[in-house]
Amino acid sequence: MKKVAVIFLFMILLTVSSSNNVNAQCAMCTVSAEQSVKNGNTQGKGLNSGILYLLAIPYLLISGMGVLWYVKYRKRTVRYAENV
């Protein structure tokens, strides 16, 4: 178990130390966002809102699953404590 933890820590350290600054946006989105800001349009705000929306959905789903699991686990332990 200790060996796995050391390897995992090493992998995380290696990943963090070798990371480069990247532009995680496609060329079309970058051009669209830059031109909309220059022209005074609000397309850039819509693009950012869409990115945040797509980012929030997985976190909400995982949080919901965690809450459901906690509630089911809590009910099971309460029933077990009552029977003992």
Side-chain angles (χ1 to χ4, degrees), residues 76-84:
R76 189 177 308 149
T77 56
V78 169
R79 270 192 248 138
Y80 178 74
E82 289 174 354
N83 290 336
V84 172

Side-chain angles (χ1 to χ4, degrees), residues 1 4 9-10 12 18 26-27 31 37 48 54 58 64 67-68 70 77:
M1 184 66 179
V4 173
L9 218 58
F10 178 72
I12 289 177
S18 67
C26 68
V31 171
V37 171
N48 288 336
L54 290 172
V67 167
L68 288 174
Y70 176 75
T77 56

Side-chain angles (χ1 to χ4, degrees), residues 1 6 13 27 33 38 42 49-50 60 64-65 70 72 79-80:
M1 184 66 179
V6 170
L13 182 66
K38 289 179 184 176
T42 58
S49 298
L60 290 173
M65 287 173 34
Y70 176 75
K72 286 182 116 179
R79 270 192 248 138
Y80 178 74

Side-chain angles (χ1 to χ4, degrees), residues 13-48:
L13 182 66
L14 184 67
T15 303
V16 170
S17 66
S18 67
S19 64
N20 296 330
N21 291 336
V22 295
N23 294 326
Q25 205 172 32
C26 68
M28 291 176 59
C29 297
T30 304
V31 171
S32 174
E34 288 174 357
Q35 287 181 354
S36 68
V37 171
K38 289 179 184 176
N39 296 335
N41 293 338
T42 58
Q43 289 176 346
K45 288 183 181 181
L47 183 63
N48 288 336

